[in-house]
Every structure is written in C-alpha cells, then in structure tokens.
Amino acid sequence: MNEKDLLPPIGFLADLDSGALARLACAGLFVTRPRGALLAVQGRPHHAMALVLSGQVSVSVHAHGDRVELATLKRGDVVGEMSIIDPRVASATARVTDESAHLWIIERDAFDEFIQHEPHNGLTLLKALGKVLCKRVRCDSELMLRKAEEMRSHFLDMDY
C-alpha cells in the first residue's frame, strides 16, 4: 500500500487509529474521478459511500423541474452514507465539480463485513456517521424554520 492509498484520519474517520484506518482502506477502493463524474444519481439504486480526499462534490436534488443544490462537499466530507445504513435509492445526485476529485469508496457489503470483523471500530464508525446525519437533519430543520418564518412574515405584511 503506498501513501496515496492510505486513509487519513479526517471526517467520520477521525477517531480511528492507524491500524483500523489501514484495514478499512483495504476494504474500499481509492479512485480519481473527473469533473462532471456522477457518484450517485437521485432515484437510482445506490450502495456505496465515498469519502472526499481532495476536490469538491456537489450534492443536489431535482424536484418539480427545479434543481436545488444542497451542499458542496470538500476534503473530509462523505456522500452516500445513507445508502450504507438504509439501502434505498439515492436521495440526491452527487457530481464532481472540481477538475477532479480523489475519493475513497466502500460498498455496503464491504462496510458490513468490516463492522462484523471489527465491532469496536464499527461502532465508532457508525456513531460518527450518525453524527453526520444528525448534523444534516439539524441544518435542514433550521432551514425549514427560516423558510416558514419568511412565509409567515410575507403573509403578515399583505394589504387587505
């Protein structure tokens, strides 16, 4: 394994020791994807998670004919974590927006196998992914509350 194929202790991996990171790295695949490459497509089956090692990834959803950008992911951010925990179709589209992005990708089955063989490290990973998901839910809740307040103030200002 060369230095390019080492998982750094970033993002949801921050609490793993170097041995666990090395074993986890072997369970996944290091890839470089060019600008425009799709990592997940909203509504299509998806069963992998990607950690952004370098570059940027845009996450967006399409609804009622509009495209809404949800996030721009950078080094240490993860995409596809929902598919690792709850295997359904992708809830959003993830696309590389930099010239390229270096990623570490792990399939759901390999992730599950790692957790079965390393329950302590698996629990650490699942708790960290839970925190990522909780942060996203809180951000979404705050955004919905702000939008609701904007709508309410708009209607309170109406002339009759």
Side-chain angles (χ1 to χ4, degrees):
M1 184 180 297
N2 63 40
E3 187 175 313
K4 184 180 175 187
D5 294 337
L6 294 176
L7 277 173
I10 59 173
F12 77 101
L13 303 177
D15 292 333
L16 292 181
D17 63 44
S18 60
L21 286 170
R23 291 185 300 278
L24 188 59
C26 292
L29 181 66
F30 291 88
V31 299
T32 300
R33 297 287 187 248
R35 180 190 313 258
L38 294 170
L39 306 179
V41 178
Q42 181 181 348
R44 291 193 186 160
H46 188 72
H47 47 77
M49 173 175 63
L51 175 68
V52 180
L53 300 172
S54 68
Q56 288 187 351
V57 173
S58 170
V59 179
S60 62
V61 293
H62 292 273
H64 310 291
D66 291 328
R67 178 181 173 272
V68 178
E69 186 166 339
L70 301 176
T72 299
L73 306 179
K74 299 176 183 170
R75 178 177 166 81
D77 291 329
V78 65
V79 62
E81 72 286 346
M82 286 174 55
S83 69
I84 293 292
I85 297 169
D86 184 20
R88 296 186 187 190
V89 297
S91 61
T93 297
R95 178 186 316 268
V96 175
T97 54
D98 260 1
E99 196 61 34
S100 66
H102 187 58
L103 310 157
W104 174 75
I105 298 176
I106 188 167
E107 299 283 331
R108 181 178 345 125
D109 291 342
F111 187 80
D112 288 347
E113 189 174 320
F114 180 83
I115 289 173
Q116 288 174 0
H117 287 90
E118 300 207 26
H120 174 74
N121 288 318
L123 179 60
T124 300
L125 287 175
L126 288 173
K127 286 173 67 175
L129 287 174
K131 288 179 183 178
V132 169
L133 292 169
C134 288
K135 180 180 176 183
R136 290 185 182 161
V137 167
R138 286 185 180 109
C139 288
D140 289 347
S141 295
E142 289 173 16
L143 179 62
M144 286 189 310
L145 288 172
R146 279 195 297 271
K147 291 289 185 189
E149 182 62 29
E150 286 174 20
M151 291 290 289
R152 188 169 59 134
S153 66
H154 172 74
F155 285 110
L156 290 175
D157 291 341
M158 290 178 61
D159 293 333
Y160 291 98

